Amino acid sequence: MSYLLTTIVFLPLAAAVICAMLPKDLAGAAKWVAATVMAFDVTLVGWLLATFDVRGGVQAVVDIPWVPQIAIRYHLGADGISLAMLALSALLGLIAVVASWKMDKSPGTYFVMLMLLQVGMNGVFVALDLVLFYVFWELVLVPMYFLIAMWGGERRSYASLKFFLYTLAGSVFMLVGIIALYLYSGPNNTFDIAELVRASAGGAFNGIQGWLFLAFFLGFAVKVPIWPLHTWLPDAHVEAPTAASVLLAGVLLKMGTYGFIRIALPILPVAAKAWAPWIAALAVISIVYGASVAFAQTDVKKLIAYSSVSHMGFVMLGIASGTAAGLDGAVAVMVSHGLVTGLLFLMVGMVYERTHTRQIAELSGLSSQVPAIGGILAFASFASLGLPGLSGFVGEFLSLLGSWQSTLVPHWMTVVAAVGVMLAAAYMLWMVQRVVLGEASEAVSRISDITAREVAYVLPLIGLTVLVGVYWNSLLRFVDPAVQGIVTILARVV
Amino acid sequence: MTWFASHPLGVLLVPLVVAAMLGAFGRWLRPAAPWIALLGPAAALVTGAGALMAGESRVVVGSVPWIAVGDRVLAVGYRVDSLSALMLVVLGVVASCVVVFSVGYMRGERGWSRYFALISLFCASMAGLVIASGLVELFIGWELVGVCSFLLIGFWYDKPAAADAARKAFLTTRVGDAGLLLAMALIWTKTGSMSIDGLGRAAATLPPAVVTAAALLLFLGAAGKSAQFPLHIWLPDAMEGPTPVSALIHAATMVAAGVYLVARTWPLFAASPVAQGVVLVVGVFTALAAATAALAQTDIKRVLAYSTISQLGFMFAALGAGNWRAAIFHLVTHAAFKALLFLAAGSVIHGAGTQDLRQMGGLVRRMPATAVAWMAGGLALAGVPPLAGFFSKDAVIAAVMHRSPLAAWTLILASLLTAMYVARSTQLAFFGDSRDVYAAHESPLSMTLPLGVLAGLACALGFTATALLGALGATGGESISAAIVVPAVLAAFTGLATGWFVWAREPGAENAFPSWLERAWGAARNGYGFDAAVVRATVQPLMTLATLTYAFTDRIVIDGTAEGVSKGAGGIAEWLRELQNGDVHWYGAMTAAGVVVLLTVVVWLTRGA
């Protein structure tokens, strides 16, 4: 059992090694290697989900010394929140591979990058040692940089550099925070998250929580991204190839909010509560600002990118609330945004492959020419705008409930966030009206509808969007018990 | 029937399965589609009727814990009492009539199976809204009927006006939905529950200010869905959808959901005189203003749309006066006669090929059955005894008279105008000389049959008043006093006579009005320009804000700052490049030095801790 998480995390590394060693004339086999390994990876995650005891705390633990001289441990484990994110990461990883099936520009290297990225993404969500967490965190950065810089669109070098510098700048602060936690963690200095939580409860970080929180905040906020640190996101999204966009929006953004939930809140609860009104304010600004800017977009992909800024605002609002409902909502939005935005990017990718444009003005009438593509795009849009019965509603609803319930978040902020829900409907429906409805435009008039392979990789996302939206507990039964632990820690401090 | 009544989830599942079947296999089920689509309304009808027959005391409730949130459990379930049962019957009857009517009306349409699938999906959503036992389930149904409305208004999606109207309807009602969301957050925070049953206790124990806030937020949601001022602007445009859809969704059921919501959450309103006052004022104002707008319309469907807004205003007036049973009574009779009017209008459009009253005339000779049906509905709407509208409208006015005579007299004035626009549109469409409709023909049996059923109801429903109000738990039949009946009936006949004779002489009679009246007439025809003003006040500023935030804040301020910083760093980079001499040892030393510096900074920053 204890090898399970290690296998899940490092299996893609094996795929990366194999892909890297493939001779040039066999590079076409790389996708088969990646797909096989990822299918196996998803199966293992499914096994973990099936055998997981939702009330059993952290499970599948492996905890051995790594660099004993300075107490760095190889410590992996999953609670309900980790598991939800790990499942999202593995599933979207597999889908990204299948969606890249026609990649013909150095496919060998491409799949090496995709698989390396997967190691980092999987690892971040199950690492329970801060150094290990940091290693996985940084590991994500490099392959994503290359995916954008080598397989991206016209402005790829600007976008990839911007992505790299922003995230790197954030990481430096986080590294400082990690080292400082270590230094102040008491006589037995430690990087272990659980021990740091205990040390914190014992008063180890009293008086400096504010500074430490600031360091982690900067690291995580760039990744989420929180306004005004968000401008790398639309550029990166627009230039990235479809699969990278899916993983960027679906998984990478969640690393930031996951960091808040796993590290910042439990280890630095005093500062988290003191900062909560400000984080909530930035969250609400992100919600409304992202939605407002989304209106001005002429490129579908950029519109979705800005909608992500808005949706991630709901995650931060739930986190700031510090309530069970808010944190449940935050994780639910994280999962749902991964599913729905992943689906949106895949659909836009399909349209782009066929029409070679993402300009809203050039796309019109998808549903009269390609009813399946148009229909699924409309479905994803409704899920994204928070239609009850689909996954998007669950998290936004709980996040609003939690923030209203919270004594840390002023009521008027919740009211503004509710207005954001309205704006989401407005820009999404306006997009649907221009792109899906109407008469087929010239670019659209001769394209063909969805293929069997494309159906295969969007179907799981559609299914899960409906499942989570109808049966909330399918997700929340994993999440809520883990959230309660954090709420308890927050409740202990004033 | 009792079995159905005690297993109410069928009202949800049957139409849902039908919708899925028609959605997936519509291509092969084409001829059978409407008959399969009748199953959903049938389930609603049987369940609702069964529950009503079982009597008022029998409430079927079922509930399961849905999610645990911390130490609170959110439960979802269903609740079928006389109020929800009555709504199910309304849904079942109107939806059945609409489905049968559509067989003729939608014949040969592209998207035939999609149409019936959407109608079924609507039935499932509306039934879900009606039998919800908590606010969350209610909200889910509430939003889903909104989506069905969006998809059905935009049924002819390649028509830009239809797509515009669909979006406007969804967005305007969503303004109200934000209120509903906040109401839920408030109630959840204060009581830890979303159950509708729990609202009574909440109203009794919570501070009055909280109760009022919750009630007003709920009313915001209701006003959006039920097209009350100032959120009424979407309903006239929604007429872009197929006419049977207008009958079902935008006359009888979905738009009445706001009235149902207030009745369902009545304990909160009962405990808040302020909220009741707001509801009363909004209802009365909407009833009067929309009636004047209806009078000036030239499109037969827009007459009915404004009429619906006005009649919903009557219902809210009754709610605001504290008598939710009178409101529901009017909801039921209105569902019958307004669905009838819409379907009759659909028959006219089908037979005459135009929606413009100015082009019609003399249709009574070419479409006698439709004409009779229309007049039955029109007279019921006008409040002519002994048709259905007479009883329910008088019940509303009587209720309001208890609270505020001024409001009641305003409603009587609105009734006069109602009768006037009924007479005007009847005169213009069915009497006088045929103007542009020489090829008009009577509609087929599939369309006239539902007209007959609804016409029967529009005539007879009034006599069920005692039974109906009794089923809703009214104690002691409120006798209708002459002080209400006499002025109301007088108003109806005055209005009918005026409307009839003014437009009998000359179909364009309004063109001969004195100039002040003509100006007012033009304003009323445009809904007083309110719609355009709202669009101007929201859409353009929003787009300006969007462009400003994007082009200025995002690109110039934020990115400009970031790029400025990096350019500044570029100078340092020049110097740093000198250091990049390719010596690995040098790099190693630099890295080590960097970490040392960083750590020193950390220790210094956190000193004294």
Side-chain angles (χ1 to χ4, degrees):
Chain A
M1 195 64 187
S2 64
Y3 293 107
L4 187 55
L5 282 182
T6 305
T7 316
I8 290 172
V9 171
F10 288 103
L11 209 52
L13 184 63
V17 172
I18 298 174
C19 290
M21 293 193 310
L22 283 176
K24 216 170 181 107
D25 49 337
L26 276 179
K31 61 188 178 192
W32 289 100
V33 175
T36 312
V37 165
M38 283 316 297
F40 197 55
D41 215 40
V42 169
T43 312
L44 287 179
V45 175
W47 161 261
L48 186 55
L49 275 167
T51 56
F52 194 81
D53 173 9
V54 292
R55 307 231 160 254
V58 180
Q59 291 159 53
V61 176
V62 50
D63 186 7
I64 50 175
W66 181 19
V67 186
Q69 292 80 359
I70 48 170
I72 301 176
R73 304 186 67 81
Y74 178 75
H75 187 180
L76 302 180
D79 67 357
I81 300 173
S82 299
L83 191 54
M85 300 320 298
L86 182 64
L88 184 68
S89 160
L91 177 68
L92 287 179
L94 174 60
I95 288 173
V97 170
V98 182
S100 310
W101 214 244
K102 289 189 175 160
M103 173 55 67
D104 48 10
K105 187 177 164 194
S106 13
T109 325
Y110 176 85
F111 284 101
V112 169
M113 291 301 161
L114 219 47
M115 289 300 101
L116 284 178
L117 181 65
Q118 192 70 43
V119 176
M121 295 191 308
N122 286 356
V124 157
F125 295 123
V126 291
L128 294 178
D129 180 284
L130 285 183
V131 174
L132 195 58
F133 177 87
Y134 186 78
V135 169
F136 285 128
W137 178 283
E138 293 294 280
L139 179 57
V140 166
L141 192 52
V142 179
M144 183 51 90
Y145 169 80
F146 282 113
L147 282 172
I148 301 173
M150 292 178 61
W151 288 272
E154 271 171 27
R155 296 175 70 235
R156 56 181 178 266
S157 59
Y158 172 78
S160 55
L161 192 64
K162 196 172 179 182
F163 161 77
F164 194 85
L165 289 180
Y166 260 86
T167 323
L168 194 66
S171 314
V172 170
F173 290 101
M174 182 168 75
L175 181 61
V176 172
I178 288 173
I179 294 171
L181 279 182
Y182 174 80
L183 293 179
Y184 286 94
S185 58
N188 300 314
N189 291 28
T190 178
F191 287 111
D192 191 277
I193 293 177
E195 283 178 35
L196 286 168
V197 171
R198 270 192 294 279
S200 172
F205 311 119
N206 285 0
I208 52 167
Q209 282 207 13
W211 285 108
L212 294 170
F213 192 87
L214 178 64
F216 283 103
F217 175 84
L218 288 171
F220 297 146
V222 167
K223 205 82 167 184
V224 173
I226 299 176
W227 183 91
L229 303 173
H230 66 279
T231 57
W232 63 267
L233 178 74
D235 286 314
H237 266 315
V238 171
E239 302 307 325
T242 298
S245 291
V246 169
L247 295 176
L248 190 56
V251 185
L252 264 63
L253 305 190
K254 280 75 194 182
M255 289 164 51
T257 47
Y258 177 82
F260 277 104
I261 295 174
R262 174 68 62 220
I263 297 170
L265 258 52
I267 300 182
L268 306 164
V270 177
K273 284 178 102 167
W275 279 58
W278 300 100
I279 295 179
L282 289 175
V284 169
I285 293 175
S286 298
I287 291 172
V288 175
Y289 186 92
S292 160
V293 176
F295 274 104
Q297 301 311 314
T298 54
D299 179 314
V300 192
K301 219 171 172 187
K302 218 160 181 176
L303 185 147
I304 299 168
Y306 276 107
S307 85
S308 294
V309 175
S310 190
H311 287 297
M312 294 309 284
F314 278 100
V315 181
M316 290 313 300
L317 185 65
I319 289 174
S321 81
T323 58
L327 286 163
D328 279 345
V331 180
V333 177
M334 285 157 72
V335 171
S336 168
H337 181 261
L339 300 172
V340 173
T341 308
L343 184 58
L344 280 169
F345 277 129
L346 290 169
M347 298 317 295
V348 173
M350 282 179 209
V351 173
Y352 183 74
E353 251 178 44
R354 288 163 167 78
T355 61
H356 305 288
T357 180
R358 287 186 306 260
Q359 291 301 311
I360 294 176
E362 293 171 20
L363 296 168
S364 169
L366 284 177
S367 60
S368 41
Q369 177 67 24
V370 281
I373 290 179
I376 298 172
L377 184 58
F379 169 88
S381 305
F382 274 108
S384 171
L385 66 81
L387 182 71
L390 303 176
S391 63
F393 175 65
V394 185
E396 283 181 12
F397 177 67
L398 288 173
S399 165
L400 285 174
L401 277 195
S403 73
W404 187 282
Q405 195 185 344
S406 169
T407 49
L408 305 171
V409 181
H411 283 338
W412 66 264
M413 291 189 189
T414 313
V415 174
V416 178
V419 172
V421 174
M422 239 161 57
L423 292 176
Y427 65 76
M428 280 322 275
L429 283 189
W430 195 33
M431 189 273 280
V432 168
Q433 186 185 345
R434 288 177 293 169
V435 173
V436 179
L437 307 180
E439 284 180 50
S441 67
E442 201 190 320
V444 171
S445 64
R446 266 181 298 278
I447 63 175
S448 56
D449 213 340
I450 200 162
T451 66
R453 177 178 61 89
E454 290 166 335
V455 171
Y457 66 69
V458 296
L459 216 49
L461 295 177
I462 296 172
L464 286 171
T465 303
V466 174
L467 175 69
V468 173
V470 172
Y471 185 48
W472 301 9
N473 234 8
S474 59
L475 172 63
L476 290 176
R477 69 193 195 96
F478 290 102
V479 175
D480 189 62
V483 157
Q484 292 203 40
I486 298 163
V487 174
T488 314
I489 293 172
L490 287 171
R492 270 206 299 263
V493 300
V494 279
Chain B
M1 262 177 140
T2 39
W3 186 89
F4 284 107
S6 46
H7 296 82
L9 282 181
V11 298
L12 209 67
L13 297 176
V14 171
L16 207 55
V17 170
V18 169
M21 261 173 63
L22 289 178
F25 311 114
R27 201 177 303 172
W28 297 280
L29 293 173
R30 275 188 73 85
W35 313 115
I36 300 172
L38 269 178
L39 289 172
L45 183 57
V46 170
T47 308
L52 276 183
M53 279 180 214
E56 188 239 329
S57 54
R58 216 170 129 232
V59 179
V60 182
V61 193
S63 154
V64 288
W66 194 240
I67 48 167
V69 178
D71 49 1
R72 290 176 175 181
V73 173
L74 189 62
V76 297
Y78 54 84
R79 174 195 169 89
V80 178
D81 54 10
S82 51
L83 176 57
S84 40
L86 196 57
M87 292 295 291
L88 285 177
V89 172
V90 169
L91 173 67
V93 171
V94 177
S96 310
C97 290
V98 162
V99 167
V100 174
F101 185 88
S102 302
V103 173
Y105 191 83
M106 300 299 286
R107 183 173 301 279
E109 282 292 339
R110 195 166 64 117
W112 163 268
S113 298
R114 173 167 58 97
Y115 175 83
F116 288 104
L118 286 173
I119 295 271
S120 296
L121 187 61
F122 172 79
C123 286
S125 315
M126 189 69 204
L129 189 169
V130 165
I131 65 168
S133 72
L135 292 173
V136 179
E137 310 91 284
L138 188 144
F139 188 73
I140 293 176
W142 182 271
E143 289 290 287
L144 289 178
V145 291
V147 173
C148 294
S149 162
F150 171 88
L151 293 170
L152 282 164
I153 295 171
F155 181 74
W156 290 302
Y157 51 75
D158 43 11
K159 219 169 85 183
D164 271 336
R167 178 167 56 102
K168 185 171 176 183
F170 194 82
L171 293 184
T172 316
T173 53
R174 212 142 214 244
V175 174
D177 297 346
L180 198 43
L181 268 178
L182 291 173
M184 285 193 275
L186 180 61
I187 291 167
W188 165 264
T189 302
K190 295 293 177 185
T191 70
S193 156
M194 294 276 192
S195 145
I196 288 170
D197 271 344
L199 292 179
R201 201 169 356 97
T205 52
L206 291 176
V210 173
V211 175
T212 297
L216 286 177
L217 287 168
L218 287 170
F219 177 58
L220 183 59
K225 210 61 152 185
S226 291
Q228 295 297 288
F229 178 86
L231 298 177
H232 63 279
I233 53 173
W234 63 271
L235 190 57
D237 287 13
M239 299 297 120
E240 290 292 337
T243 306
V245 167
S246 312
L248 175 61
I249 301 184
H250 305 119
T253 54
M254 184 189 86
V255 289
V259 178
Y260 175 76
L261 174 71
V262 175
R264 186 88 282 187
T265 57
W266 186 247
L268 293 175
F269 288 86
S272 170
V274 178
Q276 284 187 37
V278 171
V279 175
L280 180 66
V281 169
V282 170
V284 170
F285 177 76
T286 308
L288 181 66
T292 62
L295 188 55
Q297 299 305 311
T298 55
D299 178 318
I300 191 168
K301 285 188 74 180
R302 286 179 84 91
V303 174
L304 295 178
Y306 277 108
S307 163
T308 303
I309 297 172
S310 168
Q311 294 300 307
L312 289 164
F314 274 81
M315 296 173 212
F316 278 103
L319 291 169
N323 192 336
W324 65 267
R325 293 183 184 87
I328 295 294
F329 181 30
H330 196 51
L331 186 160
V332 172
T333 63
H334 176 259
F337 63 69
K338 189 54 68 63
L340 170 62
L341 284 168
F342 265 111
L343 291 187
S347 177
V348 166
I349 295 165
H350 184 78
T354 177
Q355 303 186 194
D356 193 332
L357 286 167
R358 291 167 300 191
Q359 297 178 357
M360 298 177 186
L363 286 174
V364 68
R365 292 184 296 276
R366 297 167 198 273
M367 310 181 70
T370 302
V372 170
W374 169 275
M375 282 185 274
L379 293 176
L381 167 61
V384 171
L387 304 183
F390 163 74
F391 292 94
S392 57
K393 197 180 281 183
D394 283 6
V396 169
I397 295 173
V400 174
M401 192 66 91
H402 284 305
R403 180 62 53 93
S404 156
L406 174 65
W409 283 104
T410 313
L411 288 183
I412 291 174
L413 176 61
S415 297
L416 190 151
L417 292 167
T418 305
M420 207 191 291
Y421 67 68
V422 166
R424 171 179 175 264
S425 50
T426 308
Q427 176 65 263
L428 290 180
F430 292 99
F431 293 91
D433 301 326
S434 282
R435 290 183 286 280
D436 214 356
V437 285
Y438 299 107
H441 54 83
E442 185 57 277
S443 299
L445 185 65
S446 65
M447 290 164 73
T448 48
L449 189 69
L451 290 180
V453 172
L454 288 171
L457 288 172
C459 294
L461 264 183
F463 298 107
T464 64
T466 317
L468 209 144
L469 291 170
L472 292 173
T475 47
E478 194 166 324
S479 61
I480 294 179
S481 71
I484 307 286
V485 172
V486 172
V489 172
L490 266 179
F493 282 110
T494 313
L496 282 174
T498 320
W500 183 263
F501 290 114
V502 169
W503 279 275
R505 274 183 314 161
E506 168 57 51
E510 60 266 24
N511 298 327
F513 284 165
S515 63
W516 66 271
L517 188 55
E518 207 184 344
R519 268 202 303 280
W521 192 266
R525 181 174 295 173
N526 298 324
Y528 301 100
F530 185 75
D531 181 359
V534 169
V535 171
R536 262 201 312 279
T538 53
V539 175
Q540 203 46 54
L542 190 62
M543 289 319 296
T544 312
L545 180 72
T547 315
L548 203 70
T549 44
Y550 178 55
F552 181 70
T553 321
D554 231 50
R555 282 294 147 197
I556 297 180
V557 178
I558 297 178
D559 266 0
T561 311
E563 281 162 19
V565 168
S566 76
K567 285 221 180 68
I572 304 170
E574 282 298 312
W575 174 72
L576 282 177
R577 205 164 54 195
E578 308 277 302
L579 303 181
Q580 287 185 7
N581 54 7
D583 184 341
V584 179
H585 295 101
W586 179 238
Y587 286 165
M590 288 300 288
T591 311
V595 172
V596 170
V597 170
L598 206 58
L599 283 179
T600 317
V601 171
V602 171
V603 174
W604 182 79
L605 263 183
T606 56
R607 73 198 182 283

